[in-house]
Amino acid sequence: MKQISPCLWFDGQAEQAAELYTSVFPDSRILDVQRYGPNTPGVEGEVMLVRFELLGREYGALNGGPQFPHSEAVSFVVPCETTEEIDTYWDALIDGGDPGPCGWLKDRFGVSWQIVSLEAEAWMTDPDQEKARRVVQVMLAGFGKPDVEAQRKAYEGG
């Protein structure tokens, strides 16, 4: 069986979204662009479906219309090893979008992303529950890009 892959629904911006995502993440590419043909629900010649790959995982982007807007009910987690990675992914995806709490953002297409520090994730699961609690409090209090330095200080007791 082939790997299960998500398909994102867009209102005319599937190709632009796939182009952005494949430009942001390394080892990513557009695989195929299919267009609406005659006797299809879309306008003949316009992009219907874009298949693309991000870091080895296949995705679809469908231009299906305005009926189903994106929501935070589905988001993509971007695990980052360094603050430089956090900055890179946050800055690329937030352009034209909106910041949210706890390192979440909506890109300019309305797709939700979670930019996550792997270091902070480890701190939040530390067996020392007081340390973990302090890190979680800092994360929950923040709006916008994750502040790893503030999370580190909380973890260390500062």
Side-chain angles (χ1 to χ4, degrees), residues 127-158:
D128 183 329
Q129 291 188 359
E130 180 56 27
K131 286 181 172 184
R133 184 192 63 75
R134 290 192 307 256
V135 175
V136 169
Q137 281 184 322
V138 169
M139 183 203 60
L140 293 175
F143 197 86
K145 183 172 23 176
D147 185 345
V148 178
E149 192 52 41
Q151 293 169 337
R152 178 179 287 109
K153 285 180 184 175
Y155 181 74
E156 293 171 350

Side-chain angles (χ1 to χ4, degrees), residues 49-95:
L49 177 68
V50 179
R51 289 184 325 105
F52 62 100
E53 192 174 88
L54 302 179
L55 299 165
R57 178 174 298 277
E58 190 174 311
Y59 295 80
L62 174 70
N63 279 329
Q67 305 91 306
F68 303 113
H70 298 284
S71 80
E72 292 84 355
V74 173
S75 64
F76 295 95
V77 177
V78 181
C80 298
E81 294 181 359
T82 66
T83 54
E84 292 78 19
E85 281 186 336
I86 290 171
D87 292 343
T88 296
Y89 295 124
W90 180 274
D91 294 346
L93 293 168
I94 194 71
D95 184 26

Side-chain angles (χ1 to χ4, degrees), residues 33-52:
V33 177
Q34 298 171 24
R35 300 189 177 278
Y36 283 104
N39 303 314
T40 59
V43 176
E44 187 173 350
E46 288 189 0
V47 172
M48 178 180 67
L49 177 68
V50 179
R51 289 184 325 105
F52 62 100

